Amino acid sequence: MSLSVELIRFLASVHPYDTLTEAELGALAEHCSLAEMSAGQQVFGVGDVVEYLYLLVAGEVEVFDEVGAPLSFLGPRNSFGERAILRGTHASRTAIVFADAAMIRIPAATLNALIAQHPAVARFFDRTGRAQPAKRDLATMAVEGLMTRDPVVCPPDSTIREAASKMYAQRISSICIAQDGAFQGIVTLRDMNGKVVVEGADPTADVATIMTRAPLTLGPKALVTDVLHLMVERGIGHVPIAEGETLVGIVTQTDLTRAQAMTSADLVGRVSKAQDAAQMARATAEIPQLLVQLISSGSRHEVVTRLITDIADTATRRLLALAEAELGAPPVPYLWLACGSQGRQEQTGVSDQDNCLILSDDVTEADMPYFEALARFVCDGLNTIGYVYCPGDMMATNPRWRQPLSVWRSYFDGWIAKPNPEAQMLASVMFDLRPIGGDTSLFDGLQAETLRKASANSIFVAHMVANSLKHYPPLGLLRGLATIRAGEHRNQLDMKHNGVVPITDLGRIYALQGQLAPVNTRARLEAAMEAGVLSVTGGADLLDAYDLIATMRLEDQVSQIKAGDAPDNYLDPATLSDFERSHLRDAFVVVKTMQSAAGSGKGALS
């Protein structure tokens, strides 16, 4: 039965139906109906086939999860039921009328047709961006979609002339060196010209004598933009693609010429060539506009934060190079690492710096002033270009975080053995370490060793779980949104500390429990599901919640930038539609539920 004129007007006042033309609304109304239900009646339950999307006109409905815990309390203009429809699954929730209600029912087939035909409707019902059509650009394309597969190879005992003949015959600018399936190195036309033509290497010598050994590689799941950034920063034209020791492909500048360049690569290039921090700052000042462009183009949040973090990584390595140029070669090997959002590759439009130095155990007291000066040079430079000093002094300029490898091992051992509040806090930060520049061998084995020791200490794990629950989602009475009560950000939501941080903390706990190597939050959740540390159902819900919260945080920062303001992490829920507020609340409830499971000792699989 078609809707009345009054109900059609109501439908037209609710987003996204307000984007439809009068004729489209009329056609939609022909398929809809009105349902009236009394308090206490069940609309659908766990396991039911959900046949309609329900839009509340009047009354209230409460939604419960599969174990009966309340999830949402919905009023007029809110809708529910789309979760099962869009996933093509039976209901995993129960909806019960709390106060006598009138609901417009939109059939599942009609909703799916609307989503397929109207981009505005599709965007509205897919806040995570999963329903958006795949775009063939450098931001979203995996390397495996662009790389040359089965690259030309030769064994290391081939002669230089034989290798050159293969390159000439295949009309290629590089050849990979491999033995028994193990990738060993690469020889390019530049090597042939420089080492053979100019320097006079013997053409009958083994090609291994002129190859670049253990060159930089990426995996097939890396982004094409990662390749472009690597090429621009390091001044190379070929990036082998490998899985472990096995060569699976190669990406060259010719391959990239066929793809569309991105502005993030432009910034990486300018930063990598800057002669000082002031020149670098002119490039990093464009990061807010880059954020606007990336979000406006529909890039997913984890891609956006990866690209923005790439710029910070490049800036750090460039500052290290400039520091060495001024101070001279380091007296012993060192490794600069990032923690915090840079370590997790999750930087947004507003980020401070969190970093540290691991020094070779060969370092002496006489060497320490060099590394103090190096740390000061880099941290001051990062502050100049927009990555402000860490308020908690978690930086390499602090002598505590500029120590030999043996001291770092003792730090982790001490935190694990005596997990007092400070140890819990520090361990949480340091579990997010990621090497940025220097001798990466100083980090080899440290992460795995630490995870192994930490996961084996049940007391430490319990303390870390408790510490992770100190950040909680902003939920109030009846699971409504609880805004900040006073101060500069009164009536707003802190989308960092009460939004993404609780999920980041959970991801770190799952990584600890499963001894998982990833540092990025989304990668940790996915790895936890694959390892069985996190249930498929719980993991899918938590990923959806994370995608929603992280995306809304970035979108709000973009709105602030467009308004001419500096971006921050505070969102006014009054700027959201009823639907957006409802789903944001649902996302926070999911996080709260997973925190409760972790805190109860039942584990992520409960």
Side-chain angles (χ1 to χ4, degrees):
M1 162 177 189
S2 178
L3 301 180
S4 67
V5 173
E6 182 179 353
L7 287 175
I8 293 176
R9 288 199 191 100
F10 175 83
L11 188 62
S13 71
V14 178
H15 192 66
Y17 315 105
D18 58 354
T19 64
L20 304 179
T21 66
E22 186 174 341
E24 289 168 339
L25 272 172
L28 172 60
E30 291 293 328
H31 296 280
C32 298
S33 58
L34 181 68
E36 296 181 326
M37 302 182 72
S38 302
Q41 281 190 273
Q42 180 174 295
V43 185
F44 56 75
V46 174
D48 289 349
V49 175
V50 180
E51 300 178 347
Y52 301 99
L53 172 73
Y54 296 88
L55 173 62
L56 273 166
V57 177
E60 296 169 330
V61 169
E62 193 163 13
V63 179
F64 302 86
D65 67 13
E66 54 192 7
V67 296
L71 281 175
S72 302
F73 195 81
L74 309 176
R77 305 174 70 82
N78 283 285
S79 55
F80 59 97
E82 77 287 343
R83 180 186 179 85
I85 293 173
L86 297 179
R87 289 187 173 185
T89 62
H90 292 75
S92 60
R93 299 177 177 183
T94 298
I96 297 177
V97 176
F98 184 81
D100 293 355
M103 296 167 278
I104 294 175
R105 299 188 304 184
I106 303 176
T110 302
L111 176 63
N112 284 324
L114 275 175
I115 290 172
Q117 297 166 11
H118 297 281
V121 178
R123 285 193 297 272
F124 184 76
F125 281 102
D126 185 47
R127 295 290 303 174
T128 68
R130 290 183 179 176
Q132 298 201 22
K135 300 181 301 174
R136 194 178 187 278
D137 60 35
L138 295 182
T140 58
M141 188 190 306
V143 165
E144 61 188 357
L146 180 77
M147 69 184 186
T148 299
R149 299 177 183 274
D150 299 319
V152 178
V153 300
C154 69
D157 58 358
S158 295
T159 67
I160 294 173
R161 180 174 285 119
E162 288 170 343
S165 296
K166 272 194 173 184
M167 292 170 64
Y168 180 79
Q170 297 287 337
R171 298 180 181 273
I172 53 177
S173 57
S174 65
I175 189 166
C176 295
I177 314 302
Q179 182 77 50
D180 298 326
F183 177 54
Q184 296 185 8
I186 187 172
V187 173
T188 67
L189 281 178
R190 181 186 297 178
D191 295 322
M192 290 289 185
N193 290 332
K195 297 176 182 178
V196 182
V197 177
V198 176
E199 296 177 6
D202 183 1
T204 64
D206 289 352
V207 72
T209 60
I210 66 166
M211 74 178 180
T212 299
R213 296 180 181 275
L216 294 167
T217 65
L218 290 173
K221 297 298 183 183
L223 302 177
V224 175
T225 305
D226 294 338
V227 176
L228 184 56
H229 287 182
L230 197 59
M231 287 182 172
V232 170
E233 181 185 357
R234 303 299 178 89
I236 57 178
H238 308 77
V239 177
I241 308 302
E243 288 186 307
E245 293 184 352
T246 304
L247 182 71
V248 296
I250 190 167
V251 177
T252 68
Q253 288 180 334
T254 302
D255 297 320
L256 291 176
T257 299
R258 294 192 294 263
Q260 181 182 4
M262 289 194 66
T263 54
S264 56
D266 294 336
L267 293 189
V268 165
R270 289 163 57 190
V271 167
S272 69
K273 295 178 176 61
Q275 296 304 305
D276 54 36
Q279 187 177 353
M280 213 176 292
R282 290 192 284 274
T284 56
E286 297 178 23
I287 289 177
Q289 189 55 44
L290 172 63
L291 177 62
V292 172
Q293 293 172 0
L294 292 172
I295 292 296
S296 299
S297 69
S299 297
R300 287 177 57 82
H301 72 89
E302 70 270 24
V303 173
V304 173
T305 54
R306 275 277 300 279
L307 299 183
I308 289 177
T309 305
D310 278 353
I311 299 169
D313 290 355
T314 302
T316 304
R317 285 190 286 267
R318 182 56 180 160
L319 287 167
L320 286 169
L322 292 172
E324 289 189 21
E326 180 172 306
L327 301 172
V332 297
Y334 72 87
L335 179 62
W336 186 282
L337 304 98
C339 45
S341 59
Q342 185 183 359
R344 296 189 305 273
Q345 295 181 297
E346 293 168 3
Q347 289 191 314
T348 66
V350 49
S351 296
D352 58 6
Q353 56 175 291
D354 300 278
N355 46 62
C356 63
L357 268 173
I358 296 179
L359 309 177
S360 166
D361 283 334
D362 294 332
V363 70
T364 66
E365 281 301 319
D367 298 328
M368 297 306 282
Y370 176 94
F371 292 107
E372 180 181 4
L374 179 88
R376 177 57 59 193
F377 187 102
V378 176
C379 290
D380 285 351
L382 289 172
N383 183 71
T384 297
I385 67 176
Y387 303 100
V388 298
Y389 298 122
C390 173
D393 202 21
M394 190 71 66
M395 297 182 295
T397 48
N398 183 336
R400 188 179 187 184
W401 311 127
R402 190 177 66 246
Q403 293 291 332
L405 177 59
S406 58
V407 174
W408 279 99
R409 281 202 166 93
S410 69
Y411 282 167
F412 280 108
D413 288 346
W415 297 333
I416 294 169
K418 297 180 180 179
N420 57 42
E422 183 191 35
Q424 297 166 37
M425 182 274 291
L426 294 175
S428 293
V429 173
M430 294 305 173
F431 275 136
D432 293 349
L433 284 175
R434 183 171 61 89
I436 302 297
D439 187 348
T440 57
S441 68
L442 292 170
F443 194 64
D444 290 346
L446 179 61
Q447 181 191 40
E449 173 188 325
T450 302
L451 285 173
R452 184 172 61 253
K453 291 179 180 178
S455 63
N457 188 322
S458 58
I459 295 176
F460 175 78
V461 172
H463 279 281
M464 287 292 289
V465 170
N467 186 64
S468 73
L469 304 181
K470 292 180 179 179
H471 295 104
Y472 46 85
L475 294 169
L477 187 65
L478 294 176
R479 302 288 179 118
L481 295 177
T483 58
I484 298 170
R485 295 183 178 180
E488 179 186 359
H489 300 291
R490 183 172 179 270
N491 296 328
Q492 294 180 313
L493 301 172
D494 186 338
M495 295 294 283
K496 178 181 178 180
H497 293 101
N498 300 120
V500 297
V501 168
I503 306 173
T504 297
D505 289 343
L506 284 172
R508 189 181 300 112
I509 292 301
Y510 301 147
L512 172 61
Q513 292 172 332
Q515 299 183 43
L516 306 173
V519 175
N520 175 266
T521 297
R522 204 173 198 287
R524 278 174 165 168
L525 298 180
E526 292 173 340
M529 293 170 67
E530 292 177 7
V533 177
L534 179 60
S535 70
V536 174
T537 300
D541 283 349
L542 194 54
L543 279 172
D544 282 348
Y546 181 53
D547 288 342
L548 177 74
I549 294 167
T551 299
M552 293 184 75
R553 177 193 182 196
L554 287 178
E555 288 179 343
D556 189 57
Q557 289 188 0
V558 166
S559 296
Q560 293 169 345
I561 293 168
K562 288 181 176 179
D565 300 324
D568 59 31
N569 292 299
Y570 298 94
L571 183 150
D572 181 356
T575 63
L576 304 176
S577 68
D578 294 338
F579 184 90
E580 289 172 318
R581 280 196 298 274
S582 172
H583 280 256
L584 182 58
R585 182 174 59 240
D586 284 355
F588 288 143
V589 170
V590 167
V591 178
K592 182 65 176 177
T593 300
M594 299 303 287
Q595 284 184 322
S596 298
S600 67
K602 296 179 181 179
L605 291 172
S606 61

